[in-house]
Amino acid sequence: MSAPLPLRNIAIIAHVDHGKTTLVDQLFRQSGTFRDNQRVEERAMDSNDLEKERGITILAKPTSIEWNGTRINIVDTPGHADFGGEVERILSMVDGVILLVDSSEGAMPQTKFVTGKALALGLKPIVVVNKVDRPDERIQEVLDEVFDLFVTLDATDEQLDFPVLYASGRNGYANTDPSLREGTLEPMFQKIVDHVPPPSLDEDAPFSFLVTLLDRDNFLGRVLTGRVQSGTVKVNQPIHALDADGKVIETGRASKLMAFRGLDRVPVEEARAGDIISLAGLAVATVSNTIADTSVSTPIKAQPIDPPTLSMRFAVNDSPMAGREGSKVTSRMIRDRLMREAESNVAIRVTESADKDSFEVAGRGELQLGVLIETMRREGFELGISRPRVLYGTDENGQRTEPYETVVIDVDDEHAGTVVEKMATRKGEMLDMRPSGGGKTRITFSAPSRGLIGYHGEFLSDTRGTGIMNRLFEKYGPHKGKIEGRKNGVLISNGTGEAVAYALGPLEERGILFVGVGTPLYEGMIIGENAKPEDLEVNPMKSKQLTNFRSSGKDDAIRLTPPKIMTLEQAIAYIDDDEMVEVTPKSIRLRKAILDPHERKKASRKKEAA
């Protein structure tokens, strides 16, 4: 058997949209991973449909390239803090990180989150200033920001002495000279090989392996991915799984071993310490368990994961239209799917309610839970989703605490006043405000997560779509008291049927409509936003009474404004505590949690009395 290639294991970390996945594409191309005539999609690492549509990385994925006789295992990580659970586990598999920063935007909050985790583990960073060909680049200031960030994150002297490359991932070049605008990624490959240490692990000890990713394969069953921490494993070798306390969960055999080669998983006969592999053959073992030779009884210490800060109620869809569009509608199916998700995604917690018809799903943020709902919807599920609520804690004095987030907002100067005013009403505290060049201002706030729920849509309206908001979990702090919610009431359908133009025409004067002509409606469904603060029950199905008498101009065509159609995230952010989003594979509907108007009045009276 041929000698194994020298190894380097690295993770690429960066803020959303700073160009990680595009850079990995170019690393593939220039290392000869793709054939010259091979047709490859752009951002090849963003493999699932939601990643392609949104242009963000959601799942961390390992890959591997070969360069000048060295195998470089690369892990592409999500840039969004909501998917931080993925990143925290991944960092235990690598020996170095490439920190990618945009030459104009600089170090952003999400960069801080992941970099802090990497530095705490003692990983040595290589800083790559990406998109140096931007007209608004400010390379030197960005490098100073990165250095300041490392200092605030308590980097060691060795970590502060980081090498720097200036690159354009899209154009496929990296240089040590910031003025060059051409070349290849050769300097980056060289820097990885020179700067990142090879895995310093014991090849002679018994085999052990920490599970960091779990996925399912139709043919192989559960596939566990991670890095071999010690020893060697061969196909069909007896193995067992240990939990964090060292208890044996199950025993079995390594029925299949697979290594990453480019975008593919390739079967291998054996793997050594330092290799990132996928292993099949166990039915119970899950993320953060240790898989090891049967002689090993001490588990590998897993990284602790930050706790969830937000939860939503996932309920069985009980609307009058339930079961018409989805194929998976029972609580048992929903429960099995959520438990499967919680097993592979350690940042999500699922608890079942006493009535067994709903589940409390806790996660890192609205985006993470929104992606889960969208994925389930595409799989054929029907769900009723409640308004997100934050998870409170208590401090040592027994006082109530709530999660706070650092919010960094980039806006045109003219909108800065509006944003500051809106954040103040949501109990946000301004920490910093500075011009960021090009007529833009960067404002930093510390705000309770509770106040930020539903703000993003309003923020985009206030800034005419030009503002950029980045949020990052900061701490649990003192409870801020009552925060004002949505100011407007809603228009509620008082019957079941199809919306009629004749009825919708006059209702347009009352507010903004969410439904168009011919939309199927039911009693208790929300059809629009009222211009006034109170809710209003209306009849959107009233048709014109026919008479024998017609006057001229009486039958002018009714011209309706196109309805406001909400995306899933907008709908979840919009609803109030007594409302729900009905999610099916084909529709997203807003409704009152209690559909019957009399029951609704009773419930609101009880709430007022309490």
Side-chain angles (χ1 to χ4, degrees):
M1 198 177 146
S2 61
L5 296 173
L7 262 186
R8 298 290 186 275
N9 293 325
I10 59 160
I12 298 191
I13 56 179
H15 183 76
V16 182
D17 269 351
H18 281 197
K20 291 185 302 299
T21 311
T22 307
L23 179 70
V24 174
D25 272 7
Q26 288 290 351
L27 290 171
F28 278 153
R29 287 196 166 84
Q30 296 191 24
S31 65
T33 303
F34 299 147
R35 295 190 314 274
D36 291 345
N37 62 346
Q38 187 174 345
R39 185 182 166 276
V40 183
E41 291 190 40
E42 199 179 332
R43 300 199 327 276
M45 290 292 282
D46 284 350
S47 50
N48 83 17
D49 290 346
L50 274 176
E51 290 182 317
K52 288 190 174 94
E53 284 169 29
R54 293 168 183 245
I56 58 171
T57 303
I58 294 169
L59 304 168
K61 290 174 281 292
T63 183
S64 144
I65 55 180
E66 206 178 301
W67 180 79
N68 285 1
T70 302
R71 176 160 310 289
I72 301 172
N73 288 321
I74 301 173
V75 186
D76 186 17
T77 61
H80 204 288
D82 277 18
F83 307 110
E86 291 276 329
V87 179
E88 287 163 58
R89 300 197 313 263
I90 288 302
L91 293 174
S92 63
M93 297 189 345
V94 298
D95 305 296
V97 292
I98 289 181
L99 171 63
L100 206 64
V101 287
D102 187 295
S103 67
S104 168
E105 291 181 10
M108 299 292 273
Q110 265 92 325
T111 320
K112 179 181 173 183
F113 169 78
V114 189
T115 310
K117 301 279 180 195
L119 294 176
L121 287 170
L123 299 176
K124 287 162 67 179
I126 297 171
V127 173
V128 177
V129 181
N130 195 24
K131 306 188 185 180
V132 289
D133 49 352
R134 280 182 67 151
D136 56 350
E137 55 84 4
R138 41 185 203 97
I139 294 170
Q140 200 47 54
E141 291 100 307
V142 166
L143 268 180
D144 294 344
E145 282 174 25
V146 172
F147 190 83
D148 293 346
L149 173 67
F150 280 23
V151 171
T152 49
L153 294 172
D154 298 329
T156 62
D157 290 349
E158 194 183 8
Q159 287 170 329
L160 284 172
D161 188 20
F162 52 82
V164 181
L165 288 167
Y166 306 93
S168 167
R170 195 172 54 183
N171 297 322
Y173 60 78
N175 300 296
T176 48
D177 180 348
S179 61
L180 290 176
R181 294 288 179 271
E182 60 188 13
T184 65
L185 290 174
E186 201 81 2
M188 188 178 290
F189 287 117
Q190 194 62 55
K191 196 64 81 182
I192 291 168
V193 172
D194 294 345
H195 189 72
V196 177
S200 54
L201 303 167
D202 187 355
E203 284 197 22
D204 302 321
F207 162 67
S208 66
F209 164 96
L210 182 71
V211 182
T212 46
L213 295 170
L214 166 78
D215 59 270
R216 279 177 167 70
D217 185 283
N218 293 340
F219 303 105
L220 301 171
R222 293 155 63 92
V223 178
L224 309 167
T225 301
R227 178 168 77 159
V228 181
Q229 295 288 8
S230 64
T232 304
V233 61
K234 292 184 167 68
V235 173
N236 281 329
Q237 180 176 324
I239 50 175
H240 64 191
L242 305 168
D243 65 9
D245 303 323
K247 200 168 106 229
V248 176
I249 309 165
E250 69 170 322
T251 53
R253 288 180 180 275
S255 61
K256 190 103 175 172
L257 296 176
M258 288 165 292
F260 294 87
R261 299 291 180 263
L263 292 174
D264 304 317
R265 273 203 291 223
V266 180
V268 290
E269 286 302 307
E270 71 165 23
R272 299 160 182 272
D275 287 340
I276 294 177
I277 57 161
S278 293
L279 175 149
L282 295 175
V284 181
T286 184
V287 170
S288 77
N289 288 161
T290 300
I291 313 294
D293 187 86
T294 46
S295 62
V296 176
S297 57
T298 312
I300 301 165
K301 193 171 176 296
Q303 281 298 309
I305 302 293
D306 285 352
T309 56
L310 197 76
S311 82
M312 289 183 198
R313 200 165 65 87
F314 284 46
V316 172
N317 183 15
D318 60 355
S319 88
M321 294 185 189
R324 293 189 191 179
E325 296 173 354
S327 55
K328 297 171 183 165
V329 294
T330 63
S331 60
R332 183 184 61 80
M333 285 174 158
I334 295 170
R335 179 184 179 280
D336 291 350
R337 176 67 180 83
L338 289 174
M339 292 305 174
R340 229 173 42 233
E341 184 69 27
E343 189 178 43
S344 62
N345 187 343
V346 290
I348 278 183
R349 278 208 311 254
V350 179
T351 41
E352 200 166 348
S353 68
D355 62 2
K356 304 283 191 220
D357 267 358
S358 66
F359 307 87
E360 198 73 28
V361 181
R364 284 285 178 83
E366 290 162 84
L367 179 64
Q368 186 194 24
L369 294 175
V371 165
L372 170 60
I373 297 163
E374 182 62 48
T375 307
M376 289 178 69
R377 167 186 182 205
R378 292 178 184 207
E379 291 169 6
F381 284 89
E382 288 196 9
L383 303 161
I385 307 291
S386 75
R387 175 179 167 80
R389 55 185 194 78
V390 299
L391 298 172
Y392 296 107
T394 46
D395 61 14
E396 57 270 18
N397 305 322
Q399 298 296 312
R400 198 182 204 190
T401 60
E402 64 176 324
Y404 280 64
E405 295 183 33
T406 302
V407 188
V408 177
I409 291 176
D410 286 290
V411 288
D412 293 342
D413 296 345
E414 67 206 79
H415 303 307
T418 313
V419 169
V420 171
E421 190 185 323
K422 287 279 173 74
M423 287 296 286
T425 62
R426 292 166 177 271
K427 301 281 195 324
E429 199 178 303
M430 187 161 69
L431 306 176
D432 185 31
M433 185 174 184
R434 62 173 76 167
S436 56
K440 284 189 174 294
T441 303
R442 177 170 289 184
I443 320 169
T444 309
F445 296 93
S446 173
S449 304
R450 196 163 43 106
L452 297 169
I453 294 172
Y455 175 53
H456 195 251
E458 198 180 320
F459 167 75
L460 287 176
S461 304
D462 290 344
T463 60
R464 305 286 183 272
T466 59
I468 298 171
M469 180 201 289
N470 291 291
R471 295 162 48 174
L472 175 68
F473 173 72
E474 181 189 337
K475 61 179 182 189
Y476 266 83
H479 186 259
K480 283 270 193 170
K482 193 175 184 320
I483 294 177
E484 203 175 296
R486 192 179 70 205
K487 291 188 175 69
N488 297 51
V490 288
L491 303 175
I492 308 163
S493 171
N494 67 359
T496 302
E498 286 191 357
V500 176
Y502 179 75
L504 293 180
L507 291 180
E508 276 200 332
E509 295 162 21
R510 299 269 184 186
I512 302 162
L513 295 181
F514 301 156
V515 298
V517 178
T519 305
L521 309 173
Y522 53 81
E523 186 178 38
M525 182 170 154
I526 295 170
I527 64 151
E529 181 180 281
N530 192 4
K532 294 181 177 173
E534 61 276 355
D535 291 348
L536 187 65
E537 285 180 37
V538 295
N539 180 4
M541 290 147 293
K542 186 172 70 175
S543 51
K544 184 172 184 181
Q545 299 302 314
L546 294 177
T547 62
N548 291 333
F549 181 71
R550 291 268 188 270
S551 67
S552 61
K554 194 97 180 246
D555 276 338
D556 283 349
I558 296 166
R559 286 192 177 83
L560 295 173
T561 311
K564 178 181 178 181
I565 306 295
M566 290 198 189
T567 63
L568 178 62
E569 266 96 6
Q570 286 169 335
I572 291 168
Y574 180 80
I575 55 173
D576 228 327
D577 292 334
D578 63 337
E579 295 161 5
M580 290 172 77
V581 181
E582 180 191 348
V583 179
T584 75
K586 293 179 183 168
S587 316
I588 294 169
R589 303 183 187 99
L590 304 182
R591 50 165 282 192
K592 285 289 182 185
I594 303 169
L595 297 176
D596 184 283
H598 306 299
E599 295 295 326
R600 231 180 6 253
K601 283 198 183 88
K602 272 189 210 165
S604 71
R605 279 199 205 104
K606 266 188 202 162
K607 195 176 169 189
E608 281 165 20

